[in-house]
Amino acid sequence: EVLAIGDAVTMCKPGDRVLSFSRHATHVKADGGRMALPVPLDADPREMVFARMAGVSMSALRSSSVHPGDTVLVIGMGLVGNFAAQIFQIAGADVMVADLSELRLEKARACRLDRAVNSGQDDLTEAVMEWTDGEGARIVVEAIGISEVIAEATLLTREHGEIILLGSPRAHGVFDATPMLLHLHLKAIRMISAYEWSWPQHPTHRARDITANYRLLIDWIATGRLRTSPLLTHLASPADCQTIYEGLTSKREEYLSAVFDWSKLP
């Protein structure tokens, strides 16, 4: 809740509930590096906090050249991939999603992502080619950050299409990159970074900005266009953070997301 306004806080007024990049604290000075945007007072805070992860996903849409009716494949149904798929669907794309986890695919379907493939059980290439009449998806989003998966995803992209790196590949990988590179070259495919922080935080004349993304996402969540409630698997006290961390990192079929309720602290 905003208690006072300094010169740097021009987007809010006293009494507003806000979404902010600020750390957890009883009081925070929201300056240029700590965005503070008002959210509807009647919105469920357990849903609105998901805007932060959806903001990462929004960069995939902003980085693409998607048009209504385009086929978009999103690989990886964690929060970032799920929100990316929902956002592309809101933009009018025909979306397919893929993951190895039945929990994540179940949650995707609950978010109206009906064309969902378990790529550990079914042949993803076959599913994509059947869906796209053998052409491949116009846009493929890799939302995991695994180099080998990026290489495989590229081969599912059609001629003059786009492969978008939403996940951030950090781990060492050893594999033959030539099929991927040859496909990129012969099919005139663009490989695009969707790194969120490459976008300006505030408006410019040359690019969309992060603040505008979050204004839009707040509205979409508040009005139900972007679904978040099916994705919450654990509501916990911050005192349970270690248990939550271990669950999120090692129990993929039980944990998808957690929201900390600070009122649960003793």
Side-chain angles (χ1 to χ4, degrees):
E1 180 176 321
V2 175
L3 301 177
I5 299 181
D7 291 340
V9 185
T10 59
M11 295 180 282
C12 307
K13 64 182 184 300
D16 279 349
R17 174 187 287 171
V18 299
L19 172 72
S20 175
F21 290 161
S22 303
R23 66 188 185 279
H24 292 289
T26 56
H27 294 78
V28 171
K29 178 183 177 183
D31 55 25
R34 297 188 182 94
M35 179 191 71
L37 286 174
V39 302
L41 293 176
D42 60 350
D44 187 340
R46 291 171 297 183
E47 295 193 13
M48 297 309 301
V49 294
F50 283 95
R52 177 65 194 95
M53 299 308 296
V56 177
S57 309
M58 179 66 91
S59 61
L61 178 74
R62 296 298 199 197
S63 301
S64 76
S65 62
V66 70
H67 289 280
D70 283 348
T71 51
V72 176
L73 170 66
V74 181
I75 300 176
M77 282 292 101
L79 293 182
V80 170
N82 184 295
F83 285 134
Q86 288 195 63
I87 289 168
F88 273 105
Q89 197 159 266
I90 290 170
D94 184 9
V95 177
M96 174 182 283
V97 302
D99 201 285
L100 300 174
S101 164
E102 274 303 319
L103 172 68
R104 285 161 167 70
L105 293 172
E106 174 190 327
K107 297 299 185 181
R109 295 185 188 100
C111 292
R112 299 185 287 247
L113 300 168
D114 298 325
R115 190 179 281 107
V117 178
N118 187 321
S119 50
Q121 298 177 8
D122 302 312
D123 188 318
L124 181 58
T125 299
E126 183 178 308
V128 170
M129 293 307 168
E130 181 179 351
W131 169 47
T132 61
D133 297 325
E135 293 186 325
R138 185 179 179 278
I139 296 172
V140 178
V141 180
E142 202 278 355
I144 308 171
I146 298 176
S147 300
E148 293 88 341
V149 176
I150 292 170
E152 294 170 5
T154 302
L155 300 179
L156 300 176
T157 309
R158 72 172 53 187
E159 188 172 11
H160 298 291
E162 297 169 353
I163 172 76
I164 296 179
L165 307 189
L166 183 56
S168 185
R170 309 289 176 101
H172 185 63
V174 179
F175 62 97
D176 183 2
T178 299
M180 170 186 69
L181 297 174
L182 181 63
H183 190 71
L184 281 170
H185 182 68
L186 295 181
K187 299 296 184 180
I189 293 167
R190 295 194 301 160
M191 181 174 283
I192 302 170
S193 164
Y195 180 56
E196 179 185 18
W197 296 107
S198 65
W199 298 88
Q201 184 168 335
H202 300 293
T204 73
H205 292 296
R206 301 186 62 183
R208 301 285 187 177
D209 61 279
I210 290 174
T211 300
N213 287 349
Y214 282 93
R215 287 186 189 277
L216 191 57
L217 291 167
I218 287 169
D219 177 70
W220 284 354
I221 293 172
T223 58
R225 295 188 71 190
L226 188 68
R227 303 196 75 183
T228 66
S229 57
L231 304 178
L232 178 59
T233 58
H234 292 78
L235 183 66
S237 165
D240 298 325
C241 63
Q242 185 61 36
T243 300
I244 293 297
Y245 175 78
E246 292 170 359
L248 288 170
T249 54
S250 62
K251 298 179 180 179
R252 286 175 51 87
E253 291 304 322
E254 296 179 36
Y255 287 73
L256 176 59
S257 70
V259 169
F260 288 129
D261 183 346
W262 290 79
S263 70
K264 292 180 178 291
L265 283 174

